[in-house]
């Protein structure tokens, strides 16, 4: 095995071009487990820790450019206002030790259906900035990124440089089912973001289908229902029947399996419950901010 | 490959390191520092917790080559680390100086020179002393990781609420104590 230690992004791309099978290692919280247990013996490990810019983020007008290796701990601490859904999801990952090392680039690299960043990214809206020495940079919409169980849209010579995530324009929530409050891989998870600016709602479902998915039919139903009743403007509560229909459609968007963590039936039901709850939480929060805004005006 | 790093304030070198090896393996097997424990090798138990450039991490999940040129503190250097913090109010400089814990002392480290049950006559960090006094150590396998983690918590937050302690230690498993005595120990260290 060779340990490649590029000092810059350009060097890393060159190394990946020369050795497309090289395994990038950022926080190592997925890669090292596989190596320690002998599940993976790559010819080359490509260390990304020396590339300082990967651990940096930048807040623009509409989105945050999050370096691929920014650890979860930094997201929780610094980006709670801009990326509330991702910050909440980050807080549910493993333990402080893991959150000090692991980050979104690694979560996307692994592309596990249970990865906690995915539902938050799907709900917020995001693009993955991927780059290769041969073809340069491209932006992959998050909806096109997950291509199968632990598969993603990266080409063998590509690396993730950053993720561009829409800044929150309304309340966001993240909910996860597991047996403990810490150190738990999701049985299933649900992310929801209200986007008052475009009058839309977006969702993300984790661990209940071969890939992370959005519940698009549920989103369309809810967008129409909110519009029809003028709810974005009048700030009334969402009726229980609309919330329930939304929850049922979210459950229907799942394509889960039975495994050691839970049954397909349980997952479907739990996703419905989480959908209803996160909708209530975010909508009540939206109504609250509307009231305060009005009061201030 | 060769890996050069600072361990407990002193520069160290490890030779013949396999490229897929973990920092934990380097510390235990190459440098002879068995304080950091190897239980799960998958980040689940926290017994291998060390500080990497000040940040608590699972040493079993850091590739040896990623530790090149970086600053590591293990439980063997915790007393010295805590003393320097108390004296200087800052972190140690890396490499070369007379400060830090020499490898040979670290390798031989045990609560000796006094009563190992009370810690008397031994240089211990406040958190180590509190663990002894509170009875937070049974088999002791989880203890090094918990000590490193709890020490870092108190460095950041000298007055943690119970929820803060639980949150900070949620990645460290103990199969003996039931955690209550560990909570007592951290509260005790914080109160001093
Ligand atoms: C004890 C434990 C508990 C965990 N709990 C959770 C949990 O609750 N939720 C969760 O989502 N995950 C969990 N994980 C998994 C892991 O921590 C996350 O997937 C994390 O986000 C991985 O990030 P990393 O930087 O450590 O990735 P690494 O291990 O360094 O890399 C992961 C994958 O991504 C690739 N990669 C990394 N960076 C790039 C890049 N820039 N470009 C292209 N490919 C790249 C690597 O080659 C590898 O295939 C847990 C892991 C452990 C050990
Ligand atoms: S040995 Fe590293 S976390 Fe268990
Ligand atoms: S004292 Fe035995 S595992 Fe904690």
């Amino acid at each position: 095995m060779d340990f490649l230690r590029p000092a810059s992004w350009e060097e890393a791309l060159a190394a990946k071009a020369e050795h497309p099978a090289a395994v990038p290692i950022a926080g190592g919280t997925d890669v090292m487990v596989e190596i320690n247990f002998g599940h993976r013996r790559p010819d080359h490990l490509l260390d990304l820790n020396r590339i300082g810019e990967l651990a940096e983020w930048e807040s623009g007008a509409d989105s945050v450019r999050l370096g691929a290796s920014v650890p979860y701990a930094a997201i929780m601490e610094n980006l709670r206002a801009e990326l509330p859904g991702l910050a909440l999801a980050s807080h549910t990952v493993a333990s402080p030790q893991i959150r000090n090392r692991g980050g979104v680039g690694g979560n996307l690299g692994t592309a596990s259906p249970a990865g906690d960043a995915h539902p938050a990214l799907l709900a917020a809206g995001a693009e993955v900035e991927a780059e290769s020495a041969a073809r340069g940079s491209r932006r992959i919409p998050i909806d096109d990124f997950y291509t199968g169980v632990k598969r993603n849209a990266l080409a063998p010579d590509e690396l993730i440089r950053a993720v561009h995530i829409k800044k929150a324009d309304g309340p966001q929530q993240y909910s996860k089912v597991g047996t403990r409050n810490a150190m738990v891989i999701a049985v299933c998870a649900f992310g929801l973001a209200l986007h008052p600016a475009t009058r839309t709602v977006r969702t993300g479902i984790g661990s209940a289908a071969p890939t992370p998915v959005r519940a698009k039919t549920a989103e369309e139903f809810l967008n129409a229902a909110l519009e029809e009743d003028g709810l974005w403007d009048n700030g009334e509560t969402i009726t229980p029947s609309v919330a329930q229909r939304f929850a049922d459609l979210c459950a229907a968007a799942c394509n889960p399996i039975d495994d050691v963590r839970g049954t397909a039936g349980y997952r479907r039901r739990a996703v419905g419950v989480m959908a209803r709850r996160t909708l209530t939480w975010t909508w009540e929060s939206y109504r609250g901010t509307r009231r305060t805004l009005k009061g201030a005006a | 490959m060769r890996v050069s790093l600072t361990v407990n304030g002193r520069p160290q070198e490890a030779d013949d390191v396999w490229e897929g090896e973990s920092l934990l393996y380097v510390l235990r097997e190459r440098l002879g520092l068995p304080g950091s424990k190897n239980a799960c090798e998958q980040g689940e138990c926290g017994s291998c917790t060390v500080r990497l450039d000040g940040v608590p991490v699972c040493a079993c999940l850091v590739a040896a080559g990623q530790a090149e040129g970086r600053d590591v503190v293990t439980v063997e250097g915790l007393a010295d680390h805590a003393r320097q913090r108390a004296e200087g109010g800052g972190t140690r400089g890396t490499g070369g100086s007379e400060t830090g814990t020499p490898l040979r002392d670290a390798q031989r480290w045990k609560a000796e020179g006094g009563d190992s049950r009370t810690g008397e006559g031994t240089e211990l960090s406040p958190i180590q002393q509190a663990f002894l006094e509170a009875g937070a150590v049974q088999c002791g396998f989880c203890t090094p990781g918990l000590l490193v983690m709890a020490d870092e918590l108190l460095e950041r937050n000298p007055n943690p609420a119970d929820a803060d302690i639980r949150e900070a230690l949620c990645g460290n498993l103990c199969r003996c104590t039931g955690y209550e005595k560990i909570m007592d120990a951290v509260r005790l260290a914080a109160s001093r």
Side-chain angles (χ1 to χ4, degrees):
Chain A
M1 194 187 291
D2 265 344
F3 196 84
L4 308 173
R5 210 175 305 159
S8 69
W9 177 247
E10 288 69 30
E11 272 180 51
L13 289 182
K16 191 71 172 129
E18 194 180 344
H19 310 286
V23 173
I25 176 166
T29 61
D30 280 319
V31 171
M32 285 305 288
V33 174
E34 295 193 308
I35 292 180
N36 288 345
F37 283 78
H39 297 321
R40 211 165 183 180
R41 281 281 178 278
D43 288 336
H44 298 89
L45 271 180
L46 180 61
D47 178 27
L48 301 176
N49 278 186
R50 275 162 220 261
I51 306 168
E53 67 155 89
L54 294 184
E56 292 166 6
W57 65 88
E58 206 180 317
S59 197
D62 305 320
S63 62
V64 173
R65 182 180 188 273
L66 183 75
S69 306
V70 175
Y72 293 116
I75 298 172
M76 288 161 55
E77 213 178 293
N78 303 294
L79 292 167
R80 196 165 280 277
E82 295 89 339
L83 310 174
L86 185 63
L88 286 169
S90 299
H91 203 157
T92 75
V93 173
S95 64
Q97 290 96 317
I98 304 288
R99 296 196 292 266
N100 283 337
R101 293 285 296 161
V104 174
N107 216 232
L108 289 167
T110 299
S112 158
D116 282 304
H118 313 316
L121 295 179
L122 285 166
E127 285 181 342
V128 179
E129 182 183 334
E131 196 170 333
S132 64
R135 297 176 311 286
S137 179
R138 66 173 173 139
R139 300 269 196 107
I140 309 169
I142 195 70
D143 293 81
D144 302 336
F145 187 78
Y146 311 105
T147 54
V149 182
K150 299 201 173 186
R151 289 177 163 278
N152 61 38
L154 290 181
D157 62 346
E158 275 181 325
L159 292 172
I160 301 169
R161 187 168 195 169
V163 190
H164 299 256
I165 309 157
K166 288 249 171 62
K167 276 162 79 168
D169 60 319
Q172 304 186 346
Q173 272 294 344
Y174 184 76
S175 185
K176 170 173 171 180
V177 174
T179 43
R180 250 187 98 192
N181 221 349
M183 206 52 111
V184 136
I185 307 283
V187 176
C188 51
F190 192 84
L192 187 143
L194 300 185
H195 298 284
T198 48
R199 301 192 164 202
T200 52
V201 178
R202 281 176 65 117
T203 58
I205 300 175
S207 224
T211 66
V213 289
R214 276 169 67 192
K216 286 199 179 148
T217 313
E219 291 175 12
E220 281 159 19
F221 160 77
L222 187 60
N223 289 341
L226 294 175
E227 201 59 63
E228 201 174 315
D229 297 339
L231 259 54
W232 291 107
D233 293 321
N234 64 26
E236 310 246 316
T237 44
I238 293 176
T239 62
S241 66
V242 167
Q244 190 54 49
R245 178 82 187 129
F246 173 70
D248 292 343
L249 289 169
C250 287
C254 302
N255 182 13
I257 53 166
D258 294 330
D259 68 11
V260 286
R261 280 178 281 136
T263 62
Y266 176 81
R267 287 188 157 103
R268 224 178 251 118
R269 172 147 179 88
V271 163
V273 171
M274 289 189 290
R276 186 166 41 75
R277 283 185 191 162
T278 52
L279 175 60
T280 311
W281 295 335
T282 49
W283 191 257
E284 286 309 305
S285 161
Y286 171 69
R287 296 179 65 217
T289 45
R290 272 188 81 261
R291 271 197 298 273
T292 355
L293 285 179
K294 247 201 249 163
Chain B
M1 64 179 176
R2 164 177 286 191
V3 175
S4 310
L5 70 175
T6 301
V7 182
N8 298 323
R10 299 281 177 113
Q12 306 294 349
E13 272 176 5
D15 281 314
D16 301 321
V17 173
W18 174 59
E19 286 71 14
E21 204 164 295
S22 68
L23 170 61
L24 180 61
Y25 194 91
V26 169
L27 293 171
R28 290 177 58 85
E29 310 298 334
R30 311 267 177 212
L31 299 177
L33 298 176
S36 315
K37 297 292 177 251
N38 179 2
C40 72
E41 287 198 290
Q42 53 176 323
E44 295 273 353
C45 76
S47 61
C48 65
T49 303
V50 301
R51 303 277 291 268
L52 180 68
D53 288 346
V55 177
V57 303
C58 295
C60 69
L61 299 183
V62 176
Q66 294 184 299
E68 171 72 33
R70 300 182 71 174
D71 188 45
V72 176
V73 176
T74 71
V75 72
E76 288 97 339
L78 200 61
D80 184 58
H81 180 77
R83 187 168 48 76
Q84 293 210 22
R85 182 172 58 217
E87 282 170 4
T91 46
R92 84 178 80 239
T94 48
S97 61
E98 336 62 75
T99 60
T101 310
L103 194 57
R104 279 210 308 192
D105 291 357
Q107 284 167 344
R108 286 201 223 111
W109 195 94
K110 55 180 171 178
E112 67 190 348
D115 186 334
S116 67
R117 303 237 321 263
T118 62
E120 229 168 276
T122 312
E123 201 207 348
L124 295 176
S125 63
I127 190 69
Q128 286 169 310
Q129 188 64 41
F131 264 61
L132 280 180
E133 288 175 30
V137 182
Q138 288 190 27
C139 80
F141 204 85
C142 66
T143 311
L146 279 161
L147 289 170
V148 171
M149 209 61 207
D151 180 70
E152 194 264 349
L153 166 68
L154 296 177
E155 186 175 300
R156 267 188 297 122
N157 178 359
N159 205 357
D162 279 6
D164 301 326
I165 304 175
R166 287 184 191 282
E167 164 106 32
L169 303 184
C170 73
N172 293 73
L173 299 183
C174 173
R175 306 201 67 178
C176 303
T177 65
Y179 301 103
E180 285 309 320
K181 303 284 184 194
I182 293 170
M183 294 291 294
D184 289 346
V186 182
R187 288 186 204 114
L188 179 63
S191 73
R192 287 177 168 166

